[in-house]
Amino acid sequence: MGLQPLEFSDCYLDSPWFRERVRAHEAELEKTNKFIKELLKDGKNLIAATKNLSAAQRKFAHSLRDFKFEFIGDAETDDERYIDASLHEFSNFLKNLEEQREILALSVTETLIKPLERFRKEQLGAVKEEKKKFDKETEKNYSLLEKHLNLSAKKKELQLQEADNQVEQNRKHFYELSLEYVCKLQEIQERKKFECVEPVLSFFQGLFTFYHQGYELAKDFNHYKMALQINIQNTRNRFEGTRSEVEELMNKIRRNPQEHKRANHFTMEGYLYVQEKRPAPFGSSWVKHYCMYRKETKKFSMIPFEHRSGGKVGDEELFVLTYCTKRNTDTIDRRFCFDLEASDRPGVPVTMQAFSEEDRKLWMEALDGKEAVSITRKIFFYSAQLDKIGFTIIKKCISAVETRGINDQGLYRVVGVSSKVQRLLSLLMDSKTCNEVDLENSVDWEVKTITSAMKQYLRSLPEPLMTYELHGEFIVPAKSGSPESRVNAVHFLVHKLPEKNKEMLEILVKHLANVSKHAKRNLMTVANLGVVFGPTLMRPQEETVAAIMDLKFQNIVVEILIENHEKIFKTLPDATFPEPISMSVSPPNAPPRQSRRQGQRIKRPLAVYNLCLELDDADSHSSPREDTPTGSMDSLSSQSPTPAFSSSPPGLLDGNHLIMDSGDLAGWTAHLPAQSRPSMVSWMNIPSANPAATNAAVPTFFFPNPATGTDRAVESVAHRKARAVYPCEAEHSSELSFQIGAIFEDVQFSREPGWLEGTLNGKRGLIPQNYVQFL
């Protein structure tokens, strides 16, 4: 049962039951007061905890933002770039979430704490004051009444009348105060229902708003999350393939290290101990050096290095070798020694000690010393050829797979029994039995045996289908760039393949495209097929860890072939390498300008000119495709792989890259390794040896300097004209404002990174480098 109402008429009776009802109301208000007091305490603790949580979340976001994954090799795949940038994206997500949490913390103070404190102070505090007055008047009224009743009746009439009047006035005052107190008690009992609950409602409204904002952020983040899952899955698939290749190479080198020495310009290199003679009576000491020798130039260099101290212990020493002589143990108390003599120090031999007798023999052979031992290397011959039988094998296998197993889960990933695969392959490669093998109707050959035999045949070719010569050129466009430029580059290169290779590749890729169309059943998406056939169709000539790290780019090339097989094989590429997109197409949004404030660096999109391909701006985001399914592993090689980045249109000059014309190309290619220089020049269809070519109208390229890792400044771009491709509003007096199409005179590179200096309408100032196109 609830509180009984306080009747005003009861104030005049002031009965025991009235007093009990008043005390019940007072107890209820005291309970309400304690509740509000406890609620305020908890609310303040909640605010403090929220601030601590927010600080921890921000610290966590800060750690995510500042960390960057390093990659092995000279380039990242799109998947790896987006995975790396995902930490920055996670950081932004948490940052936005904490901004909403701050709003929640402020709302708790404004909507809950302050209103409750105000109610407790103004309303409940006022009731307490009224109660004090009521209790005081009660005591005064009944004390005066008792005193009045004790007056002697023998008093004078005037005294008795004055006493009666005083008692009556006091009683009236008590009754008025009692009425006001009763009214106040009942008013507070009703007021507390909304004045206490309304702030709590406001608090929960703020809480719901916060969670709703979190939901909205999560919903906006969902597309990125879905795309990132695809990036991660692609990277995981490539990792599995790379790991097995690395382990296989490691085991090969473990079995025979000498057969897998890396090809480089040194005839021999390794550690040797060098005898350093000291004045008597100190004798001599042996210091470990890393030594390198080039037979063509007879130059021998050595660097003192101590592994325990972790670094060099001296400068490199270089000399020209005159002769090498073996030292016998009867002339020195150490084994495995030999002497070298330098041309600048005749008659002063340098004594060196190898690690073993075999190591000494290798050095002696390389240095043309006595007892040189030649090392024979195994040469493997393969019987598989791109001949009539080879085409028959591939066509028979493809026909059988498409007839019997196009929907088999894990097609081309599930491996057949090795003995059965070898038996089938031997039958297929024999011209006498090849036509007798029925793969479509025979139950003797499982689909996995057929697919494994097909892959084994392609791997057994003396040269991979996409050739050693073009291997590096196929890898280049896969390492960076826009989807369109990648497709164009691969398209161009495919038509440089030998005719038989191209014909076989077309048959195979057409089949793989058909397999990918059944991915819902066989689970072999374009990305999965790229993982399987990347190492099959493309192999580096030398097995190294660096080459294995390029497997992921081989996979991307295969993905591009599958996704664009109609264009690549059914149409001819441009006679020259594809031209950049026309300047007449103006993109809707200008790229960010390079900040000139110290310590601040903004990534900007790079121009796409032929093989120099655009990077993505990690600070801008575009909406993802709505139809990307969760958990999809579709290839991202030739489509924009994730909504976390927006592509910038080609045709721009970036602040971190400099323009190079065809006249400068020959100078740049001089920095390239000798084995890649001719193919690079021929790939770009630029005649490096023709003097007239320097004035030919060819596309403009961005080139980094491979020797320094930075971009090479090209003098020929100074004092040229440039056209604005984006409008720009100056943010500083030293900058120029301009509209699209503005022509700048006397354009030069500025000392400010990412900025040019030019003249417009007689005024000279700074121009954002990625806002213009050189004419």
Side-chain angles (χ1 to χ4, degrees):
M1 185 175 178
L3 294 172
Q4 294 186 11
L6 300 174
E7 298 293 344
F8 291 118
S9 58
D10 288 341
C11 294
Y12 292 93
L13 292 175
D14 200 12
S15 65
W17 299 278
F18 170 72
R19 285 287 176 164
E20 286 182 3
R21 289 196 292 271
V22 169
R23 283 195 294 273
H25 279 261
E26 291 172 346
E28 173 60 24
L29 291 180
E30 184 60 30
K31 188 171 72 173
T32 301
N33 183 54
K34 288 182 179 179
F35 162 72
I36 294 175
K37 187 176 180 181
E38 192 68 24
L39 196 62
L40 288 172
K41 179 182 176 183
D42 292 340
K44 291 176 181 177
N45 289 339
L46 175 62
I47 293 173
T50 300
K51 289 180 178 178
N52 290 335
L53 174 61
S54 182
Q57 292 269 44
R58 287 181 181 277
K59 179 65 172 65
F60 184 73
H62 185 77
S63 299
L64 287 176
R65 185 195 64 198
D66 289 348
F67 183 77
K68 178 176 176 59
F69 288 109
E70 289 297 337
F71 60 92
I72 300 176
D74 58 356
E76 293 175 290
T77 63
D78 286 344
D79 295 313
E80 289 171 332
R81 269 199 297 273
Y82 303 141
I83 288 171
D84 183 25
S86 66
L87 297 185
H88 190 273
E89 192 69 19
F90 295 154
S91 173
N92 288 338
F93 175 80
L94 284 179
K95 179 183 175 183
N96 293 334
L97 191 64
E98 290 317 303
E99 289 175 357
Q100 300 301 324
R101 199 187 301 277
E102 281 187 0
I103 295 173
L104 172 64
L106 289 174
S107 71
V108 172
T109 301
E110 295 298 325
T111 61
L112 180 68
I113 303 299
K114 289 184 178 180
L116 288 180
E117 284 181 338
R118 188 163 53 247
F119 177 78
R120 184 167 173 265
K121 180 179 179 181
E122 295 178 0
Q123 301 298 330
L124 295 181
V127 170
K128 284 187 175 182
E129 292 300 321
E130 291 290 330
K131 182 180 183 309
K132 289 178 182 178
K133 291 180 183 179
F134 178 70
D135 291 341
K136 185 177 180 181
E137 286 298 322
T138 299
E139 177 64 26
K140 181 179 177 182
N141 178 62
Y142 286 105
S143 297
L144 187 61
L145 183 60
E146 288 179 5
K147 184 178 178 182
H148 179 66
L149 293 175
N150 288 329
L151 282 176
S152 173
K154 296 179 180 179
K155 292 280 187 180
K156 293 181 180 180
E157 186 64 27
L158 184 59
Q159 289 178 327
L160 292 174
Q161 190 174 1
E162 287 179 1
D164 291 341
N165 291 336
Q166 185 179 1
V167 169
E168 186 62 29
Q169 288 177 0
N170 190 72
R171 183 183 292 116
K172 285 181 179 181
H173 181 66
F174 170 68
Y175 289 153
E176 289 177 3
L177 192 63
S178 179
L179 289 169
E180 291 176 1
Y181 182 52
V182 166
C183 182
K184 189 69 174 177
L185 281 175
Q186 297 189 116
E187 177 188 330
I188 294 300
Q189 296 292 2
E190 296 300 314
R191 183 186 289 271
K192 71 179 183 182
K193 295 175 184 176
F194 58 87
E195 291 209 1
C196 288
V197 178
E198 192 174 37
V200 177
L201 175 61
S202 298
F203 161 72
F204 274 95
Q205 184 61 39
L207 195 64
F208 296 149
T209 301
F210 167 71
Y211 284 120
H212 179 72
Q213 291 291 340
Y215 168 76
E216 290 295 326
L217 285 173
K219 191 164 67 172
D220 292 342
F221 192 76
N222 191 51
H223 292 292
Y224 177 82
K225 181 188 71 174
M226 291 166 60
L228 185 60
Q229 287 173 341
I230 298 174
N231 298 143
I232 292 171
Q233 186 60 48
N234 289 344
T235 305
R236 187 188 299 276
N237 292 342
R238 290 172 184 142
F239 162 75
E240 293 297 336
T242 303
R243 182 177 64 175
S244 61
E245 294 286 338
V246 169
E247 289 177 354
E248 184 179 349
L249 176 61
M250 178 184 68
N251 292 329
K252 286 180 182 178
I253 293 177
R254 181 185 289 155
R255 289 191 294 268
N256 198 337
Q258 293 302 325
E259 283 193 5
H260 291 83
K261 289 181 64 177
R262 290 190 61 195
N264 55 36
H265 53 273
F266 293 112
T267 307
M268 187 69 182
E269 59 181 320
Y271 284 100
L272 294 170
Y273 280 89
V274 180
Q275 184 183 36
E276 295 186 353
K277 296 180 180 179
R278 299 179 181 178
F282 298 106
S284 62
S285 63
W286 295 82
V287 180
K288 185 166 61 177
H289 287 66
Y290 191 79
C291 302
M292 296 157 285
Y293 177 67
R294 294 190 66 174
K295 201 167 189 175
E296 299 83 4
T297 60
K298 290 190 174 294
K299 288 184 178 179
F300 191 99
S301 59
M302 53 187 189
I303 305 170
F305 191 90
E306 178 52 59
H307 285 90
R308 283 171 292 189
S309 62
K312 297 180 183 178
V313 292
D315 297 327
E316 180 179 5
E317 184 178 352
L318 177 67
F319 58 85
V320 176
L321 179 69
T322 303
Y323 74 87
C324 169
T325 308
K326 178 183 176 182
R327 289 286 295 269
N328 295 320
T329 52
D330 57 350
T331 62
I332 192 169
D333 61 352
R334 287 195 172 217
R335 298 188 299 165
F336 321 133
C337 294
F338 57 91
D339 289 342
L340 303 181
E341 184 174 300
S343 60
D344 58 343
R345 288 175 288 180
V348 184
V350 179
T351 302
M352 297 189 172
Q353 183 184 27
F355 284 0
S356 65
E357 183 61 32
E358 182 183 0
D359 191 29
R360 178 169 66 174
K361 288 179 180 180
L362 293 173
W363 278 103
M364 295 287 290
E365 175 192 8
L367 299 170
D368 292 325
K370 295 180 181 179
E371 298 185 13
V373 180
S374 60
I375 300 175
T376 59
R377 298 183 178 233
K378 294 181 182 178
I379 302 176
F380 295 92
F381 297 94
Y382 301 86
S383 57
Q385 297 293 332
L386 283 178
D387 51 12
K388 183 179 179 181
I389 290 181
F391 277 89
T392 302
I393 291 172
I394 293 299
K395 289 176 181 178
K396 285 176 73 76
C397 290
I398 286 175
S399 178
V401 170
E402 294 192 346
T403 302
R404 297 173 52 193
I406 195 72
N407 291 318
D408 289 3
Q409 286 192 6
L411 184 65
Y412 287 109
R413 280 206 132 174
V414 179
V415 181
V417 178
S418 179
S419 58
K420 291 184 178 180
V421 172
Q422 293 297 334
R423 180 164 162 261
L424 174 60
L425 200 54
S426 63
L427 291 173
L428 290 173
M429 294 180 68
D430 188 340
S431 59
K432 297 178 181 179
T433 58
C434 179
N435 292 327
E436 297 176 3
V437 178
D438 185 1
L439 299 179
E440 293 187 24
N441 302 309
S442 175
V443 293
D444 295 337
W445 307 110
E446 297 175 285
V447 172
K448 63 182 181 181
T449 304
I450 298 172
T451 57
S452 296
M454 180 176 163
K455 289 187 293 181
Q456 184 62 42
Y457 164 78
L458 292 170
R459 289 172 184 163
S460 299
L461 291 171
E463 188 176 24
L465 207 56
M466 297 174 72
T467 72
Y468 290 133
E469 181 183 359
L470 295 177
H471 177 84
E473 298 182 40
F474 272 112
I475 292 293
V476 169
K479 287 188 174 181
S480 62
S482 67
E484 182 184 0
S485 56
R486 289 180 180 181
V487 174
N488 291 340
V490 172
H491 188 192
F492 182 83
L493 292 169
V494 164
H495 287 264
K496 291 182 67 178
L497 290 169
E499 195 59 37
K500 284 187 177 180
N501 294 57
K502 183 159 71 71
E503 184 182 348
M504 178 73 82
L505 186 63
E506 180 179 0
I507 294 170
L508 180 62
V509 170
K510 182 180 178 181
H511 165 63
L512 296 181
N514 188 26
V515 171
S516 67
K517 291 177 183 177
H518 295 78
K520 289 186 178 179
R521 298 287 297 277
N522 60 34
L523 306 182
M524 293 304 293
T525 62
V526 175
N528 287 338
L529 290 170
V531 171
V532 173
F533 280 91
T536 301
L537 301 180
M538 297 179 67
R539 293 196 309 274
Q541 195 156 11
E542 183 183 6
E543 279 189 286
T544 63
V545 173
I548 292 173
M549 289 300 116
D550 279 344
L551 277 176
K552 52 198 173 186
F553 300 110
Q554 296 174 188
N555 304 344
I556 290 173
V557 173
V558 175
E559 291 171 21
I560 293 172
L561 288 172
I562 296 172
E563 291 177 331
N564 303 275
H565 67 283
E566 289 289 340
K567 173 182 177 180
I568 290 174
F569 293 102
K570 300 300 182 186
T571 64
L572 292 174
D574 295 337
T576 59
F577 206 79
E579 293 285 342
I581 295 176
S582 172
M583 283 284 298
S584 61
V585 180
S586 298
N589 297 313
R593 293 179 294 174
Q594 174 71 44
S595 170
R596 293 190 292 112
R597 288 177 290 176
Q598 186 176 4
Q600 190 176 32
R601 181 174 178 267
I602 302 174
K603 292 182 181 178
R604 297 178 315 287
L606 309 182
V608 183
Y609 282 98
N610 302 339
L611 72 112
C612 292
L613 310 168
E614 67 180 353
L615 297 177
D616 294 309
D617 182 352
D619 295 323
S620 60
H621 311 283
S622 63
S623 298
R625 294 184 299 163
E626 294 291 338
D627 57 349
T628 304
T630 303
S632 169
M633 293 186 292
D634 288 347
S635 168
L636 305 178
S637 60
S638 60
Q639 299 181 13
S640 185
T642 175
F645 307 93
S646 64
S647 297
S648 174
L652 307 179
L653 176 63
D654 181 69
N656 295 329
H657 290 72
L658 305 175
I659 290 182
M660 179 175 289
D661 290 327
S662 58
D664 300 301
L665 184 60
W668 178 79
T669 54
H671 294 284
L672 290 172
Q675 63 269 25
S676 62
R677 194 180 307 144
S679 58
M680 180 69 75
V681 175
S682 64
W683 180 37
M684 294 183 290
N685 263 0
I686 298 174
S688 59
N690 185 2
T694 58
N695 297 323
V698 296
T700 302
F701 293 88
F702 296 123
F703 284 112
N705 186 338
T708 63
T710 59
D711 294 324
R712 183 172 70 90
V714 183
E715 296 298 333
S716 61
V717 303
H719 309 291
R720 289 179 56 179
K721 292 184 179 181
R723 178 189 289 116
V725 294
Y726 296 107
C728 177
E729 186 68 27
E731 298 176 355
H732 192 270
S733 59
S734 62
E735 301 173 17
L736 294 177
S737 296
F738 49 86
Q739 297 298 320
I740 296 177
I743 303 297
F744 302 95
E745 304 284 344
D746 191 19
V747 179
Q748 302 178 38
F749 289 107
S750 169
R751 292 184 179 180
E752 298 283 356
W755 292 77
L756 303 170
E757 290 182 13
T759 303
L760 178 64
N761 299 329
K763 182 181 178 182
R764 190 160 186 80
L766 293 172
I767 311 160
Q769 197 165 341
N770 57 337
Y771 275 56
V772 300
Q773 170 69 39
F774 276 86
L775 300 177

